[in-house]
Amino acid sequence: MHTPTLRGRAPAAPTAITALVAASACWGTGTVASKQVVDEVAPLTLLPAQLAASCVFLLIVILVRHEPFAWTPAVRRLAALGVLNPGIAYALGLVGLTTITASMSVLLWALEPVAIMLLAALVLREHIPLPLAAAVGVAIAGVLLVVYQPGANGDAVGITLTVVSIGFCALYSVLTRRMLLDDSALTVVFAQQVAAFFFAITLASFVTLLGGTGWDLEGHAAGDWLAAGASGVLYYGLGFWFFVTGLRRVPASVAGAFLPLIPVFGLAGGYLVGDRLDVRQWIGAVVIVAATAAVCFLQLGARSREVAAVGHPRA
């Protein structure tokens, strides 16, 4: 197996790095926003509400940018991955988030870069350079410093659901990277989230029929739905668009190496709602940023060597 060659004009490495950092920013601050909303709106109701707002946002951007879009066989295959993530993965993640602390959730999500790296090596046959693996390890150590709180325990079911969700997200990243060809990142994300939206509607309806808390539409203020929509655009619309933009140009293992930045941006978002960092958390944040900067330099150095070897960037 091998990673397909990307045809067309791919973004340069600095652009990919910027996109991956932006994705981490959207997911970090979006986690804070989602945690606020999921305390008011049932998770299986929140997910389709967020995805509906995201799909509308992405469709508007596609129309404004005059992006060509067609349900080709390749796009349909990529769209099916939307059922995996954000469909199944975030349905499980939101349910898990109701029974564990935000700190515990972020702590567990620090496993995602490792999961992506392992799957990329197994599925895509990506070579993982030792410096990249070391940088990811240092970044994860920084995450532990940032979010670990003695006594911050979580419900066993919530922890299990979160870990399974992480596995699905890692698999999504690797499979999307393998299947991406010359399709626009924007249209790919739109197709995937349309599929995820219909899955979320089906799931909420099925759970309601079984007598569980699927649809929970009564007793909510307009502000709850506005917050759900805004968090959906931020977390799903912008976050996935930026991530797939970066993923089109760099190996899945490199894209995953930027994910430890998520808690840094999450803490920044938390600061705006009154959370404050202690010395240990500041040290952890600096370690994460430094390790991610090392990944950036490694990626830029690899691209410079590639350009020097072939005389022009890989197309």
Side-chain angles (χ1 to χ4, degrees):
M1 296 180 184
H2 65 282
T3 303
T5 300
L6 301 180
R7 298 190 297 269
R9 187 172 180 269
T15 303
I17 289 170
T18 301
L20 292 167
V21 172
S24 297
C26 289
W27 285 335
T29 54
T31 297
V32 175
S34 293
K35 178 60 178 176
Q36 302 297 317
V37 183
V38 81
D39 289 337
E40 304 296 333
V41 181
L44 296 187
T45 300
L46 176 60
L47 181 60
Q50 289 178 317
L51 287 170
S54 176
C55 288
V56 170
F57 165 74
L58 292 170
L59 179 59
I60 291 172
V61 176
I62 286 172
L63 294 175
V64 170
R65 289 164 57 105
H66 303 289
E67 291 267 0
F69 182 82
W71 285 97
T72 63
V75 170
R76 286 197 294 271
R77 287 192 295 271
L78 282 164
L81 293 179
V83 174
L84 184 67
N85 182 37
I88 298 173
Y90 280 93
L92 295 174
L94 285 173
V95 173
L97 192 58
T98 62
T99 60
I100 62 176
T101 64
S103 293
M104 175 63 72
S105 177
V106 175
L107 178 64
L108 292 171
W109 278 97
L111 297 171
E112 188 179 5
V114 176
I116 291 175
M117 190 171 290
L118 292 175
L119 286 173
L122 292 172
V123 177
L124 302 179
R125 299 292 188 264
E126 287 185 6
H127 170 66
I128 311 299
L130 182 58
L132 176 61
V136 170
V138 171
I140 291 173
V143 172
L144 297 178
L145 286 172
V146 168
V147 303
Y148 176 69
Q149 295 178 4
N153 298 318
D155 177 77
V157 173
I159 292 173
T160 300
L161 290 175
T162 303
V163 171
V164 174
S165 174
I166 291 166
F168 281 135
C169 287
L171 184 60
Y172 161 86
S173 297
V174 171
L175 292 180
T176 296
R177 181 63 179 86
R178 186 181 183 208
M179 295 168 65
L180 277 173
L181 293 172
D182 55 357
D183 302 292
S184 160
L186 178 61
T187 56
V188 166
V189 171
F190 174 69
Q192 289 178 336
Q193 295 199 11
V194 167
F197 172 65
F198 284 108
F199 167 80
I201 289 176
T202 302
L203 178 63
S205 300
F206 181 71
V207 171
T208 299
L209 288 175
L210 292 179
T213 306
W215 291 112
D216 174 28
L217 303 175
E218 298 181 358
H220 299 295
D224 293 337
W225 299 117
L226 288 174
S231 64
V233 170
L234 179 64
Y235 199 103
Y236 297 104
L238 290 171
F240 277 80
W241 181 13
F242 286 136
F243 184 72
V244 174
T245 297
L247 188 61
R248 293 183 76 242
R249 186 53 184 158
V250 300
S253 55
V254 173
F258 285 83
L259 299 182
L261 282 174
I262 292 174
V264 175
F265 287 107
L267 287 170
Y271 185 89
L272 298 178
V273 295
D275 292 342
R276 295 295 181 265
L277 303 183
D278 58 27
V279 174
R280 172 178 52 80
Q281 290 176 312
W282 276 114
I283 294 172
V286 171
V287 169
I288 294 169
V289 172
T292 307
V295 173
C296 293
F297 284 119
L298 288 170
Q299 178 61 16
L300 291 172
R303 181 169 177 81
S304 298
R305 290 190 295 272
E306 174 189 291
V307 172
V310 300
H312 56 81
R314 181 177 57 188

